[in-house]
Amino acid sequence: MKKMPPLMILCGGKGTRLREVTELLPKPMVPIGEQPIVWHIMKSYAAFGVDRFILCLGYKRECFVDYFTNYRLRTTDATVYSGSQSRVEFHSNENEEDWQITLAGTGIDSGTGTRVRLASRYLRDDDDCFFLTYGDGVSDIDVEAELAFHREHGLALTVGAVHPAARFGEMKITADGKVKSFVEKPARIPGYINGGFMVMQKSFVSHFIPEEDCFLEQQPLYNAAKAGEMAAFRHEGFWQCMDTPREHTMLNELWESGEAPWTKYWQ
């Protein structure tokens, strides 16, 4: 499998719309099944050979530190020896992910653009680009195909363009005010939004992200689009963020069904 760029994940926000859960956990650590959603995101990229991850941390950073430093203990049978000869004996190497995970502190209240700029210091000299996504959404997007698309177009940024799920019923109204048709919460709307799952040239950081605190979704993306340096990779498959308790429940139900769409490329 060819060498893949690293994945940077924005994990520092407070997730206020999921407040019932995020008062205890940062949103990327909210579980789907037995593992946090950030693990599901990492598994989806790892299916394409990505094995380096940079997590942009802020709110409740210690939750990520505790989870990943104890990850092997969480997923493998082990015997713990206490006392002066304290050690841990692991009983299996099966199903272990061989990942390099950088836990990058990027400030409690920093904007997303600032988090990317601060975490970019952990990119290697030979990283011409990197994957970038949010820590609260899953998808069955083919990131290898997106990377090829990004390199073919040669622009500073490629965003994963997705159709968001509709949250309200849709009405078609005639000129005289009559409702011609009504659809209760269509599966998705026809337009596209930035669903995350981006590919960013390393040079984007110095060219479009200022030194002052900023949100990536504001001036950096606006200026990149205005400069003709942003492409959209259209994804027509599954995509779902986890903004609300209802969406959290839905993702868990999909996982428990054994047919979670975002696991399409998992081994």
Side-chain angles (χ1 to χ4, degrees):
M1 189 175 288
K2 66 180 70 174
K3 178 180 178 293
M4 295 290 277
L7 168 63
M8 186 181 294
I9 309 178
L10 293 161
C11 296
K14 295 182 179 179
T16 54
R17 284 180 288 184
L18 201 60
R19 188 181 301 278
E20 300 147 11
V21 183
T22 56
E23 285 183 357
L24 299 174
L25 294 169
K27 189 158 63 162
M29 291 300 296
V30 172
I32 299 176
E34 294 183 353
Q35 301 292 353
I37 188 172
V38 69
W39 176 88
H40 290 261
I41 296 166
M42 294 164 77
K43 284 282 287 186
S44 294
Y45 276 87
F48 294 95
V50 176
D51 60 5
R52 292 167 50 214
F53 302 90
I54 303 170
L55 307 190
C56 304
L57 306 183
Y59 177 66
K60 292 188 179 292
R61 172 182 177 175
E62 66 278 4
C63 294
F64 297 91
V65 174
D66 291 346
Y67 176 81
F68 285 105
T69 56
N70 293 298
Y71 180 73
R72 193 175 182 191
L73 275 171
R74 291 173 178 271
T75 58
T76 307
D77 289 351
T79 298
V80 178
Y81 297 84
S82 61
S84 59
Q85 301 298 319
S86 62
R87 62 188 176 90
V88 178
E89 178 184 342
F90 295 97
H91 297 296
S92 172
N93 290 318
E94 295 180 5
N95 301 320
E96 288 189 16
E97 288 81 13
D98 189 13
W99 295 345
Q100 176 186 304
I101 305 161
T102 299
L103 305 173
T106 56
I108 296 295
D109 297 313
S110 301
T112 48
T114 300
R115 295 190 191 283
V116 172
R117 176 171 55 79
L118 293 174
S120 67
R121 65 185 180 272
Y122 295 110
L123 296 170
R124 296 176 180 171
D125 291 342
D126 60 347
D127 290 328
D128 65 319
C129 66
F130 58 98
F131 293 111
L132 173 66
T133 197
Y134 300 97
D136 63 353
V138 287
S139 176
D140 63 354
I141 187 171
D142 183 337
V143 295
E144 186 172 25
E146 183 184 25
L147 178 62
F149 174 93
H150 173 77
R151 287 180 167 154
E152 177 184 343
H153 284 73
L155 303 181
L157 177 68
T158 297
V159 300
V162 302
H163 299 286
R167 293 185 176 180
F168 304 98
E170 179 183 29
M171 295 188 297
K172 292 185 178 179
I173 305 172
T174 63
D176 61 357
K178 291 183 180 179
V179 176
K180 184 178 180 181
S181 67
F182 178 82
V183 179
E184 175 59 21
K185 294 183 180 178
R188 62 184 186 180
I189 62 176
Y192 290 96
I193 63 167
N194 172 19
F197 297 92
M198 297 170 269
V199 187
M200 180 177 285
Q201 288 297 116
K202 186 161 60 175
S203 59
F204 183 100
V205 178
S206 57
H207 289 168
F208 292 104
I209 301 180
E211 289 294 321
E212 62 269 17
D213 189 48
C214 71
F215 286 90
L216 179 68
E217 302 78 12
Q218 296 177 357
Q219 285 302 113
L221 293 194
Y222 173 83
N223 289 338
K226 187 176 180 181
E229 285 293 331
M230 184 163 64
F233 179 78
R234 293 181 177 89
H235 174 60
E236 304 296 338
F238 177 84
W239 174 89
Q240 182 61 57
C241 61
M242 189 179 67
D243 275 342
T244 66
R246 182 186 66 81
E247 290 166 344
H248 177 225
T249 298
M250 180 190 71
L251 289 172
N252 271 280
E253 288 174 348
L254 286 171
W255 177 257
E256 290 164 7
S257 74
E259 299 179 355
W262 63 90
T263 66
K264 176 179 178 179
Y265 297 104
W266 296 18
Q267 299 298 319

